[in-house]
Amino acid sequence: MKFDHIIIRYGEISTKKRNRKGFVDKMKAHIRWSLKDIDGVVLTANRERMYVLLNGVDHKPVIERLKGIFGIQSISPAIKVERDLEVMKTAALYYLNQTSEEVGTFKITTKRADKDFPYNTDEINRALGGHLLRNTEDVTVDVKNPDLNLLVEVRREAVYMTGEIIQGAGGLPFGSSGKAMLMLSGGIDSPVAGFLSMKRGLDVEAIHFYSPPFTSERSRQKVIDLAGKLAEINGSMKVHIVPFTEIQLLIQKQIPENYSMTTTRRLMMRVADKIREKEESMAIITGESLGQVASQTMSSMFAINEVTNTPILRPLITMDKTEIIKIARELDTFEISNLPYEDCCTVFTPASPKTKPKREKVNYYESFVDFDSLIEKAVTETEILTIKPGQTFDKEEAMEDLF
């Protein structure tokens, strides 16, 4: 006996009305991509649910993949059996023994769509419940708050059983909210911001600012590794590597030191906005958390935002560092982010950056410098990579680089 199908329940998609089909189609495409190398499984969908028909395939690896797909609220393995009470007893016991977590209490909830079935609801509940109690140890009935509510549906063609509810990833289907550009620094925060944005249905491309020889090839590779982790969600991620050395050197030369950080962020935003426009994206994502560093105060963000009308998404804005680190560990990006290769922001951080920069002052300082041509050059010379999952950082070489 084996589970023969998996029930997929929608999350927020259920609240959509006329445009629900578009969300369902996006999620269906993501599920098909996720299961593409598992031969035999078939996906079907209706307005309320999706079903994965297993056709003999083990349900566990399929469920593991489904758990990472955005838009899925919950998942339940299910089994279809003959309309025979003895077969139903065997199936109920099989279901209880196959749950992913240990079951201490259960209840049976039967629904008879076919009223001609020779046993009524109470008789079926008692027969199956008694069979489970006789054939298990330390398992009892709890009709109010059971670990497993085994749902039994009797139809004309067969009997269906399900009950275990496995939490899905939630959120919205990948790509259903459009495309946005993630400013990926290599630190702990920006990969988390990228993940959370993808969870809200965004198709994300990354932009990384690279300043050789002040930043090493290792720092560049670190960003590629982080992009590889995010690429596990949908199979690939486009990364735009922006050469930023000339702009940073000019900032250091022309802008007062305590305003150099503000100008650096403003110019990064201008470059990112031009790349966003080329890629027909609709927003820029940052890993900023309010008050975390000098560039993330309200005054700094007010001064930096001045350079663009594009929506700036800041998924981490109200999070503490410990909350961000917790998510980074879950995503398996924390260790990569912690590698000791500085990005272009940290290398050029002034000793005393302005935490309350003024727009009029930063505009005044920037008015003496022509950054436009360098911005255009940086955009033109940007290297574009398509990163696949599994492009891991070479830690052995990295250690050699340390000495």
Side-chain angles (χ1 to χ4, degrees):
M1 187 166 284
K2 274 187 165 183
F3 289 114
D4 50 46
H5 64 287
I6 294 169
I7 300 168
I8 298 171
R9 299 177 189 85
Y10 304 154
E12 283 185 49
I13 297 176
S14 303
T15 64
K16 309 299 179 188
K17 294 182 179 177
R18 292 179 182 175
N19 57 350
R20 183 184 299 192
K21 184 178 182 304
F23 289 90
V24 170
D25 288 345
K26 288 282 186 186
M27 194 165 86
K28 198 190 300 181
H30 197 180
I31 292 172
R32 283 191 170 131
W33 169 82
S34 176
L35 303 179
K36 64 181 184 301
D37 59 340
I38 301 180
D39 293 333
V41 297
V42 175
L43 179 67
T44 64
N46 60 35
R47 185 173 168 79
E48 305 300 330
R49 291 180 178 179
M50 288 188 193
Y51 301 90
V52 176
L53 309 180
L54 293 168
N55 294 319
V57 173
D58 184 8
H59 68 288
K60 291 179 182 174
V62 176
I63 286 178
E64 280 305 309
R65 296 193 187 190
L66 293 175
K67 283 162 68 176
I69 293 178
F70 299 136
I72 295 179
Q73 181 188 47
S74 65
I75 306 156
S76 294
I79 193 166
K80 175 184 175 185
V81 295
E82 298 173 34
R83 290 158 43 94
D84 179 288
L85 193 59
E86 292 305 314
V87 176
M88 291 164 63
K89 290 178 183 176
T90 303
L93 184 60
Y94 171 80
Y95 202 111
L96 186 144
N97 288 330
Q98 291 294 316
T99 52
S100 57
E101 295 185 5
E102 191 173 344
V103 171
T105 58
F106 75 91
K107 70 180 281 190
I108 307 289
T109 303
T110 300
K111 178 182 175 185
R112 280 197 318 155
D114 175 17
K115 303 300 182 188
D116 294 331
F117 193 69
Y119 301 95
N120 66 31
T121 299
D122 288 339
E123 289 171 334
I124 295 170
N125 288 346
R126 283 198 295 272
L128 300 188
H131 186 72
L132 295 185
L133 291 172
R134 286 191 296 276
N135 291 278
T136 56
E137 294 182 357
D138 301 324
V139 176
T140 59
V141 174
D142 182 345
V143 295
K144 291 185 176 178
N145 188 28
D147 295 335
L148 173 66
N149 181 11
L150 184 62
L151 305 173
V152 181
E153 186 171 357
V154 180
R155 294 187 186 176
R156 283 194 178 280
E157 73 279 7
V159 174
Y160 297 86
M161 293 186 188
T162 187
E164 183 180 17
I165 297 176
I166 300 166
Q167 194 66 37
L172 293 172
F174 181 84
S176 61
S177 298
K179 186 162 76 173
M181 312 304 292
L182 167 69
M183 295 177 72
L184 187 62
S185 67
I188 295 169
D189 302 341
S190 53
V192 176
F195 171 80
L196 294 177
S197 301
M198 294 164 91
K199 186 176 179 180
R200 293 308 301 167
L202 282 170
D203 182 357
V204 171
E205 295 183 12
I207 299 175
H208 176 65
F209 293 87
Y210 179 51
S211 295
F214 304 100
T215 57
S216 68
E217 186 65 24
R218 304 298 179 194
S219 71
R220 181 177 180 276
Q221 181 62 44
K222 178 174 152 182
V223 167
I224 291 172
D225 292 346
L226 290 170
K229 283 291 177 186
L230 294 175
E232 291 175 3
I233 292 168
N234 199 47
S236 67
M237 171 167 278
K238 193 186 279 189
V239 180
H240 304 258
I241 308 284
V242 180
F244 204 54
T245 309
E246 283 188 74
I247 292 176
Q248 283 201 290
L249 289 176
L250 190 58
I251 292 170
Q252 298 303 308
K253 185 177 177 183
Q254 299 290 345
I255 304 295
E257 185 184 4
N258 59 352
Y259 266 84
S260 63
M261 180 272 297
T262 305
T263 293
T264 299
R265 296 296 194 280
R266 283 162 60 96
L267 293 178
M268 283 179 165
M269 200 62 80
R270 288 176 63 184
V271 172
D273 207 21
K274 285 193 173 293
I275 295 173
R276 175 206 62 76
E277 194 175 346
K278 283 178 69 177
E279 296 296 321
E280 299 181 341
S281 170
M282 291 183 286
I284 295 171
I285 305 163
T286 74
E288 290 166 309
S289 169
L290 185 59
Q292 189 179 112
V293 293
S295 65
Q296 295 173 19
T297 63
M298 282 300 292
S299 298
S300 288
M301 286 189 278
F302 183 70
I304 294 165
N305 264 38
E306 187 190 21
V307 301
T308 178
N309 290 322
T310 298
I312 309 298
L313 308 182
R314 297 179 169 96
L316 314 184
I317 196 68
T318 62
M319 285 189 183
D320 294 337
K321 195 69 179 180
T322 51
E323 295 174 296
I324 299 168
I325 288 174
K326 181 175 181 293
I327 300 173
R329 289 188 188 280
E330 291 169 358
L331 297 177
D332 201 22
T333 57
F334 180 76
E335 294 299 328
I336 301 172
S337 294
N338 251 355
L339 290 171
Y341 308 117
E342 294 183 312
D343 58 46
C344 63
C345 296
T346 53
V347 166
F348 288 94
T349 300
S352 301
K354 274 282 182 187
T355 56
K356 294 182 179 179
K358 305 293 183 189
R359 279 187 174 184
E360 57 274 18
K361 281 196 174 182
V362 72
N363 279 313
Y364 173 75
Y365 296 139
E366 290 174 9
S367 67
F368 295 100
V369 190
D370 177 18
F371 287 112
D372 291 348
S373 58
L374 287 181
I375 289 173
E376 289 297 334
K377 186 181 178 193
V379 172
T380 303
E381 295 179 357
T382 292
E383 180 185 7
I384 301 176
L385 306 174
T386 300
I387 307 301
K388 303 286 185 184
Q391 289 181 252
T392 57
F393 186 72
D394 189 339
K395 292 179 179 173
E396 191 172 327
E397 288 183 23
M399 290 303 293
E400 289 174 4
D401 192 56
L402 285 174
F403 300 98

